[in-house]
Amino acid sequence: MTATGAPASEGAAPPTGTGPLSTGSAQGDASGTAARRGRRKLTPYWLLLPAGLWLALFFVAPFFYQASTSVQSGSLEDGFRVTWDFTNYSDALAMYGPHFLRSFLYAATATVLCLLIGYPLAYLIAFRAGRWRGLLLVMVIAPFFTSFLIRTLAWKTILSDAGPVVGVLKSLHVLDVTSQLGLTGDDRLLATPLAVVCGLTYNFLPFMILPLYSSLERIDLSLHEAARDLYATPATVFRKVTFPLSLPGVVAGTLLTFIPASGDYINAQLLGSPNTQMVGNAIQKQFLNVLDYPAAAAMSFILMAIILIAVSVYMRKAGTEELV
Amino acid sequence: MTITLSGVSKVFGDFTAVHPLDLTIPEGSFFALLGASGCGKTTTLRMIAGLEEPTGGTVLLGEEDITALPPHKRPVNTVFQNYALFPHLDVAENVAFGLRRRGITSVRKQVEEMLELVELGPLAGRKPRQLSGGQQQRVALARALINRPRVLLLDEPLGALDLKLRRQMQLELKRIQTEVGITFVHVTHDQEEAMTMADTVAVMNAGRVEQLGAPDELYERPRSTFVANFLGTSNLIEAEITEAGGEELVLKATGTDSVLRLPAERCAAPDPQTGGKLLVGVRPEKISLTHAEDDDGEGAGTQANGTGARRGAVNGANGEGNGGADNRLTGRIRDAGYLGVSMQYVVDSPVCPEFSVYEQNVERDARLTPGADVVLRWRPAHTFALDATQDADAGTVEEAL
């Protein structure tokens, strides 16, 4: 306790003690104040409680449950037991290495595409849109009014073999070029890597645009003027002022795009082929079709570990703490 | 370098921010554009910087027409109102920004010297958000000055600082301007700041320059009611001319028999004629206040009380004749305020309901309290006259509210 020289008889002092000041004639008063102060100190924790409970129930508990599953062995008939069998991990990597690779490749490509498409749009909305700003933002979010699945199914129609997109691209010989690059094949778009990347890009684009917009929108326009006043050409203003100041948005946007995209399986399932399956598809298959839970859990953990490492390296490189 | 604005105007939609404006800012001067917010002073500055394109007219820098030049091609730099320091760069890099953009790579020595000039050497590695307002202000100044611009533009640079710091920075800016010797164009709404720092002040009102001149000239001889009221305080009395044509104008305050005199050259109205109306003005600190009991009638410079005697002595010391009698009014003190260095009185007078008088706080007459009858005197040489067709309240605080 706080009071070092306090006699033992005062042991009934208030728990969150206000120290030696609370002793004396006004003992009752003081303990009342102390209790109130104690309650006030606890308020933030009470506010944290719902979120904490939610996390404990739906993240921490499943996390440990899956962690233990990932080191089980056995079969569906005989039941699974924890045997600390790490071969689940090595087997998963050996069998599904290409899936992991594809996942990160597709997700990274989609993230870069999202950035390339999203940045100019976010810039336009933040600086040039004027009174159209609100409308444009609503349009960015508008796809969310339709379910993820339906939107992806719509892409199936758009990219279908008899569809107009394939027709136009074929007549322009674009498909020849992309098939040379290994992105498409057999004069089709559907069931190719390109289709999967397109789907991922489309579905995650708003997650890129919104953080970019919010970081660009916060930039004081007088900084642009100051840079121009200090001999910066418009291109240099962007390179030296606007872009560095939008980095927090770039980091947030790329993370919000890359992380869910690398775990996604809907796009690969609906728009891809067996040759374009991502790790999400493999996990889904193990969980729901093969019912090899330990293998599925092990794959989930490998995916999570890789993402965690990649993200922490990326965050350190981007140096976000240094930014405003 | 001399800046010449000829016929420069700026229109935003259906609002004319700046009416066609002719202005010459001489090389090496500390030039202030003074006016209330919305008077077009900042727009004028931004047109010189190139951040705003004039609707009409030309901007010359020396002999060169820079009207169509984008800001990054103008040898002009700006200290912005909110400083606009780059938050992602440290102090040294903020200061080096302009040099780097012009392809100068070895900036270290120059940056050090510049930070020395604004006394920020030890803070070179800090980020702007780690600095106080005054320090940020100096970084903004250093960032502009390091480029050795032909002209430095300052947009309300001290507006965000507290009073004490502002006073200090005023002197500092003046020192730096003398040291580097380049033309400063300073935009401010603070008349005291403009008068302290600038050697030429242009008073702007509603997109036009009301009057341009040295601070003392503007203060002593305002040419419009706006200038008379915006720069300090003026007592304006409506009066009718009874004698014109000579070296002295003689007037009679409207509705009374009080005679007011002033030298004809101190009249801003064109061609004053007998029978015409003028607004006669006098600054509050030029007036001497005497208790009515001590007043000896029309005599000048012979007052019995201390204040009067002092003033008489000053007149004598100046060695210039009064050109006859002092201007004299009677009234009753309505309000007296103690300001430390001076006393501020508001006097009810038949000719002017709220006559302001400042008296040096030297020997206070204890009888000069609210309700006391007093006599106000001032010399004709301290009197000015304005065209009576203007709004007598233009430029006052009441009008601004």
Side-chain angles (χ1 to χ4, degrees):
Chain A
M1 281 303 292
T2 44
T4 44
S9 61
E10 280 196 11
T16 50
T18 45
L21 286 176
S22 65
T23 57
S25 58
Q27 184 89 46
D29 256 16
S31 66
T33 320
R36 218 173 302 134
R37 205 171 300 168
R39 227 176 298 139
R40 203 174 306 153
K41 240 184 221 167
L42 281 178
T43 309
Y45 298 102
W46 284 110
L47 290 171
L48 274 176
L49 195 65
L53 272 179
W54 194 88
L55 268 180
L57 263 175
F58 298 110
F59 178 71
V60 179
F63 181 87
F64 284 106
Y65 178 71
Q66 288 302 325
S68 82
T69 307
S70 75
V71 290
Q72 287 174 351
S73 62
S75 66
L76 201 56
E77 294 80 37
D78 310 333
F80 295 101
R81 261 182 313 280
V82 176
T83 55
W84 298 101
D85 184 4
F86 284 96
T87 51
N88 287 327
Y89 284 85
S90 49
D91 287 352
L93 271 178
M95 268 175 73
Y96 293 105
H99 288 72
F100 280 108
L101 207 64
R102 265 199 295 270
S103 281
F104 293 120
L105 201 65
Y106 292 174
T109 314
T111 305
V112 171
L113 285 175
C114 280
L115 187 62
L116 291 178
I117 299 168
Y119 202 106
L121 188 59
Y123 187 94
L124 181 103
I125 299 174
F127 296 127
R128 296 286 147 84
R131 62 203 181 88
W132 301 105
R133 190 186 269 203
L135 184 71
L136 285 169
L137 279 174
V138 169
M139 282 169 68
V140 167
I141 311 166
F144 288 135
F145 291 117
T146 318
S147 110
F148 186 71
L149 208 58
I150 306 251
R151 277 183 277 145
T152 314
L153 279 169
W155 272 86
K156 213 168 165 164
T157 316
I158 295 170
L159 300 178
S160 65
D161 296 345
V165 178
V166 170
V168 170
L169 292 182
K170 222 190 288 185
S171 63
L172 290 173
H173 299 288
V174 175
L175 286 184
D176 296 343
V177 179
T178 52
S179 76
Q180 287 286 316
L181 294 168
L183 295 171
T184 59
D186 304 333
D187 273 353
R188 321 182 51 186
L189 272 177
L190 212 56
T192 62
L194 188 65
V196 178
V197 170
C198 280
L200 287 172
T201 307
Y202 164 76
N203 276 315
F204 291 104
L205 188 58
F207 295 107
M208 178 65 86
I209 293 175
L210 293 179
L212 278 177
Y213 164 77
S214 85
S215 73
L216 283 168
E217 187 257 352
R218 270 172 39 206
I219 297 175
D220 186 351
L221 277 181
S222 68
L223 293 178
H224 288 181
E225 293 188 339
R228 284 200 290 154
D229 187 67
L230 292 163
Y231 315 111
T233 59
T236 321
V237 174
F238 178 77
R239 211 159 44 83
K240 290 291 175 185
V241 178
T242 316
F243 187 72
L245 287 175
S246 70
L247 267 183
V250 173
V251 170
T254 47
L255 291 181
L256 282 177
T257 309
F258 180 78
I259 296 173
S262 54
D264 180 78
Y265 69 96
I266 301 271
N267 285 284
Q269 177 138 324
L270 296 180
L271 305 174
S273 70
N275 291 331
T276 64
Q277 294 216 325
M278 296 165 69
V279 72
N281 302 89
I283 295 172
Q284 184 234 6
K285 201 170 75 189
Q286 293 295 335
F287 260 126
L288 301 179
N289 302 350
V290 183
L291 306 182
D292 185 352
Y293 302 129
M299 275 194 276
S300 303
F301 272 94
I302 295 171
L303 178 65
M304 196 154 72
I306 297 176
I307 289 178
L308 266 178
I309 293 167
V311 165
S312 54
V313 168
Y314 174 64
M315 297 267 274
R316 185 152 312 166
K317 276 263 157 60
T320 38
E321 324 80 70
E322 275 290 297
L323 295 164
V324 201
Chain B
M1 194 157 290
T2 313
I3 304 171
T4 316
L5 306 181
S6 44
V8 169
S9 64
K10 181 70 192 179
V11 180
F12 296 105
D14 54 4
F15 171 70
T16 305
V18 179
H19 291 279
L21 178 72
D22 292 299
L23 205 59
T24 303
I25 300 169
E27 178 163 8
S29 67
F30 199 130
F31 190 94
L33 284 167
L34 173 66
S37 59
C39 73
K41 57 192 193 301
T42 295
T43 308
T44 306
L45 192 84
R46 289 170 60 84
M47 289 193 287
I48 300 173
L51 297 170
E52 214 75 74
E53 201 183 329
T55 310
T58 54
V59 181
L60 296 183
L61 187 65
E63 298 293 308
E64 191 193 354
D65 185 347
I66 59 165
T67 316
L69 228 50
H72 65 271
K73 291 191 177 153
R74 297 190 186 201
V76 166
N77 290 114
T78 310
V79 176
F80 289 85
Q81 183 165 16
N82 57 359
Y83 316 138
L85 300 178
F86 303 120
H88 58 301
L89 301 177
D90 64 20
V91 167
E93 278 308 306
N94 261 288
V95 174
F97 194 90
L99 294 181
R100 292 206 191 280
R101 298 291 82 74
R102 287 185 299 168
I104 300 164
T105 45
S106 51
V107 297
R108 210 173 132 197
K109 194 161 165 285
Q110 285 193 64
V111 169
E112 271 171 18
E113 278 173 12
M114 194 45 67
L115 288 177
E116 212 56 53
L117 180 74
V118 295
E119 293 161 1
L120 279 181
L123 302 182
R126 295 254 188 109
K127 287 283 172 69
R129 64 166 184 278
Q130 298 170 305
L131 303 178
S132 70
Q135 290 166 337
Q136 292 187 18
Q137 208 278 332
R138 286 173 215 227
V139 176
L141 187 65
R143 185 178 70 171
L145 277 178
I146 196 168
N147 306 297
R148 309 226 161 271
R150 305 286 172 75
V151 178
L152 184 74
L153 307 174
L154 303 114
D155 185 6
E156 301 260 7
L158 310 178
L161 305 180
D162 62 57
L163 188 64
K164 209 159 181 183
L165 198 53
R166 196 152 70 216
R167 290 271 152 74
Q168 189 191 330
M169 283 306 296
Q170 284 171 6
L171 298 175
E172 192 108 330
L173 270 180
K174 188 74 198 158
R175 168 183 73 84
I176 289 170
Q177 198 259 342
T178 323
E179 220 160 290
V180 296
I182 55 184
T183 313
F184 276 35
V185 182
H186 180 133
V187 158
T188 179
H189 66 272
D190 182 340
Q191 45 103 3
E192 212 175 295
E193 188 174 300
M195 295 212 279
T196 318
M197 298 164 75
D199 36 51
T200 312
V201 178
V203 182
M204 285 188 77
N205 181 28
R208 291 190 172 84
V209 171
E210 286 263 341
Q211 191 175 347
L212 185 148
D216 58 338
E217 189 188 323
L218 291 181
Y219 187 79
E220 301 295 341
R221 304 180 66 168
R223 302 194 63 82
S224 70
T225 53
F226 181 85
V227 177
N229 292 322
F230 193 76
L231 264 83
T233 307
S234 291
N235 297 302
L236 295 176
I237 307 156
E238 205 185 79
E240 197 173 297
I241 304 173
T242 53
E243 216 182 298
E247 278 192 6
E248 198 174 53
L249 278 176
V250 183
L251 303 100
K252 204 171 74 180
T254 305
T256 65
D257 291 331
S258 303
V259 175
L260 301 165
R261 298 164 194 275
L262 70 144
E265 44 141 18
R266 292 181 64 85
C267 174
D271 190 28
Q273 295 290 335
T274 305
K277 284 205 166 159
L278 290 175
L279 285 168
V280 174
V282 62
R283 297 289 189 180
E285 73 282 2
K286 314 278 193 204
I287 301 167
S288 91
L289 201 62
T290 324
H291 196 273
E293 288 168 11
D294 297 339
D295 187 61
D296 57 354
E298 298 297 316
T302 53
Q303 289 93 331
N305 93 4
T307 319
R310 233 182 23 255
R311 186 138 332 216
V314 170
N315 291 351
N318 283 350
E320 44 177 316
N322 275 356
D326 278 351
N327 288 319
R328 178 179 176 280
L329 291 174
T330 55
R332 176 173 292 163
I333 296 178
R334 188 204 294 177
D335 205 358
Y338 182 72
L339 299 183
V341 291
S342 63
M343 286 294 293
Q344 179 175 358
Y345 297 97
V346 178
V347 178
D348 261 334
S349 157
V351 299
C352 178
E354 281 186 24
F355 220 94
S356 253
V357 180
Y358 303 157
E359 287 288 310
Q360 281 270 359
N361 192 5
V362 185
E363 293 160 42
R364 266 194 294 156
D365 186 337
R367 292 171 300 170
L368 296 179
T369 52
D373 285 317
V374 288
V375 174
L376 312 166
R377 291 171 187 281
W378 70 92
R379 291 166 51 191
H382 290 151
T383 315
F384 55 85
L386 305 170
D387 197 326
T389 54
Q390 315 169 70
D391 174 13
D393 289 332
T396 56
V397 181
E398 286 82 4
E399 194 214 34
L401 297 173

